[in-house]
C-alpha cells in the first residue's frame, strides 16, 4: 500500500473533533492481564490494530476464550495464573515488539515449552534485553544469533525473584521483568534509569495485585511479589496519545487549523509530546480532564501556531519515544535549529527511526543531519517546509504517518511507500486524516 498525499502549504487546515483509536500499550496489557485473571474482564475502546490483535490471537492459541473485538469491545474469559495451555504451533506476533517482549516475561514461568516469532522487521530487533533478566530469574530462553527472535522458551522452570537495574529506559523490558515476577517466589524489583510508561503497574493494581514504587536518586524502583492472583476487571482504553500526536503536529503546522482530539490518554509517562510541542510554541489546551480505570484522560484542543527550534530536554525523550518521527516533522517546520540528543533507542524501533527519518526529510529538501543519538534539523522560516517527493517508510507505521503530516507544509505531493503497517497501530488513519481535511490517495504498490 502506498499513500499519495496532496500538498497543503497554501490551503489545508485541519478542523473538527476526532477520536483516534485505542491506546496500543493499554490494549496489549488488557488482553494479557485479562487472560491470566480469574473471571471475565470486559474491555472497551480496544485497539483493533494488527499489533494488539496479535496479542489477542496468541492468547486464543493458548486456550483463552476471547469474544470480539466488536466495535472496540472485547470480553476475556480469564483462565487464572496457571490456566494457559500449550499452543499447537509457534506464536507469531507479527510486527509487535511489545507482544514479544511482554509475552517472554509472562510465558517464561509456564508449564509448557513454546516459541515466539515475528515478521521480518521484528526478527531484526534486539531481544537480549529481555533474555538477560529472564535468565537471571532462572528462565530458559534461547534467541537466534545476535540475540534476535525467534525466542524459544523451555517451560517448567521455577522462577526466582530478581533485583534488576535496566541498562536502558524501556517499559517493555520493565514490564517483562514484572510479568515474570508474578510467577516467581518472592519479591522482584526493577530500577529504571529514567521514567518510562507505567501502564503495567497501573493495570496490575486495577486487577487487584499490589505494586510498590520507590523514587530515589538512581531513578525509580518498581517491585512486585510473586505467586500472584489477579481478579478480572473492566478496562476503558483511552485513545492513543501516540496516534493523536500526528494530528497534534498536523494541526499545529497548518495555518488556520483547530482540532479537538477526544478522550486521549494523558498518563504523565506519555505526555512528552505535549510538553515538547509546548516548549516549541504550540497551542495545546487540555479540556475536560478526567480519570478512567486508573488512567487520566482529556480532550485536547490544538490550534495552529508558529514553532521555534529548541534543544529537546533529554528527560522528555522516554516520555515521547514513539512520537519522534512526527516531532522531526514539527522540527522541520520550526524556525531555527532543533537538536535531539539522548534518543539512541530510536535506532532499534520498527526501523532505524533516526536514519530513515533523516533520509526521508533530506529527500523532501530539509536540512536534517542524523547523529548517533538523535538529529539536528534546520527548520523552515516560511510556509514551504518540504518539497514534494518520494519517501520510504521501511514498513514502519509511524514513519508513514509522520510523512503524511509533512504534506500539510509541502509544495508538491508526497508519495509514501510501504504503508501497510499503518494498520498495526492506527487502522483507518487515512480516512480520519481525510475527515480532518487532508487529501490522501491510498493505492496498491
Ligand atoms: C511500549 C514501550 C516502548 C514503546 C512501544 C510500546 C510498551 O518501547 O516504544 O511502542 O507498550 O511498553 P521500549 O520499551 O522499547 O521503549
Amino acid at each position: 500500500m502506498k499513500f499519495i498525499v496532496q500538498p497543503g502549504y497554501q490551503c489545508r487546515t485541519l478542523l473538527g473533533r476526532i477520536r483516534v483509536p485505542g491506546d496500543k500499550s493499554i490494549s496489549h496489557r488488557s488482553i494479557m492481564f485479562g487472560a491470566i485473571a480469574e473471571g471475565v474482564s470486559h474491555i472497551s475502546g480496544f485497539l483493533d490494530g494488527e499489533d494488539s490483535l496479535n496479542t489477542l490471537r496468541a492468547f486464543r492459541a493458548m486456550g483463552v476464550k476471547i469474544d470480539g473485538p466488536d466495535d472496540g469491545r472485547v470480553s476475556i474469559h480469564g483462565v487464572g495464573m496457571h490456566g494457559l495451555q500449550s499452543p499447537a504451533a509457534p506464536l507469531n506476533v507479527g510486527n509487535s515488539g511489545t507482544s514479544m517482549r511482554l509475552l517472554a516475561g509472562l510465558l517464561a514461568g509456564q508449564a509448557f515449552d513454546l516459541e515466539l516469532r515475528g515478521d521480518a522487521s521484528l526478527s531484526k530487533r534486539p531481544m537480549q534485553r529481555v533474555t538477560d533478566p529472564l535468565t537471571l530469574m532462572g528462565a530458559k530462553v534461547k534467541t537466534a544469533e545476535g540475540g534476535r527472535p525467534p525466542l524459544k522458551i523451555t517451560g517448567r522452570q521455577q522462577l526466582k525473584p530478581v533485583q534488576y537495574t535496566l541498562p536502558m529506559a524501556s517499559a517493555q523490558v520493565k514490564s517483562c521483568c514484572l510479568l515474570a515476577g508474578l510467577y516467581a517466589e518472592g519479591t522482584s524489583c526493577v530500577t529504571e534509569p529514567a521514567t518510562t510508561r507505567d501502564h503495567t503497574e497501573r493495570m496490575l493494581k486495577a486487577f487487584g495485585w499490589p505494586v510498590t514504587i520507590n523514587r530515589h536518586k538512581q531513578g525509580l524502583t518498581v517491585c512486585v511479589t510473586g505467586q500472584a492472583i489477579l481478579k478480572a476487571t473492566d478496562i476503558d482504553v483511552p485513545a492513543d496519545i501516540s496516534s493523536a500526536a500526528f494530528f497534534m503536529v498536523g494541526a499545529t503546522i497548518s495555518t488556520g487549523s483547530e482540532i479537538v482530539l477526544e478522550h486521549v490518554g494523558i498518563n504523565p509517562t506519555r505526555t512528552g509530546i505535549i510538553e515538547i510541542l509546548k516548549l516549541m510554541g504550540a497551542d495545546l489546551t487540555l479540556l475536560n480532564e478526567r480519570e478512567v480505570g486508573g488512567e487520566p484522560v482529556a480532550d485536547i484542543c490544538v490550534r495552529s501556531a508558529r514553532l521555534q527550534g529548541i534543544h529537546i530536554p533529554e528527560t522528555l525523550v522516554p516520555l515521547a519515544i514513539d512520537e519522534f518521527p512526527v516531532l522531526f516533522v514539527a522540527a522541520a517546520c520550526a524556525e531555527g535549529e532543533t537538536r535531539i540528543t539522548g534518543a539512541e533507542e530510536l535506532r532499534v524501533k520498527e526501523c532505524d527511526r533516526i536514519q530513515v527519518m533523516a533520509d526521508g526529510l533530506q529527500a523532501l529538501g530539509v536540512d536534517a543531519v542524523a547523529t548517533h543519538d538523535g538529529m539536528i534539523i534546520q527548520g523552515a522560516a516560511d510556509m514551504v517546509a518540504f518539497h514534494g517527493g518520494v519517501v520510504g517508510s521501511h514498513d514502519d507505521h509511524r514513519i508513514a504517518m509522520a510523512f503524511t503530516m509533512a504534506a500539510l507544509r509541502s509544495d508538491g505531493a508526497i508519495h509514501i511507500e510501504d504503508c501497510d503497517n499503518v494498520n498495526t497501530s492506527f487502522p483507518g488513519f487515512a480516512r480520519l486524516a481525510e475527515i480532518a481535511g487532508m487529501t490522501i490517495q491510498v493505492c496498491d504498490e
Side-chain angles (χ1 to χ4, degrees), residues 219-294:
L220 194 124
T221 299
V222 185
C223 300
V224 73
T225 300
Q227 313 292 304
I229 298 173
L230 306 187
K231 296 265 177 262
T233 189
D234 294 347
I235 306 274
D236 173 358
V237 182
D240 197 329
I241 190 168
S242 297
S243 298
F246 299 105
F247 291 95
M248 288 183 206
V249 170
T252 298
I253 64 176
S254 51
T255 322
S257 293
E258 178 167 340
I259 198 159
V260 176
L261 299 157
E262 293 175 340
H263 205 68
V264 180
I266 51 158
N267 178 317
T269 62
R270 297 285 298 282
T271 46
I273 175 75
I274 296 179
E275 291 176 55
I276 294 168
L277 285 175
K278 279 190 170 170
L279 287 174
M280 296 174 81
D283 181 352
L284 301 166
T285 315
L286 301 189
L287 309 168
N288 196 12
E289 287 186 49
R290 55 213 183 262
E291 186 154 318
V292 289

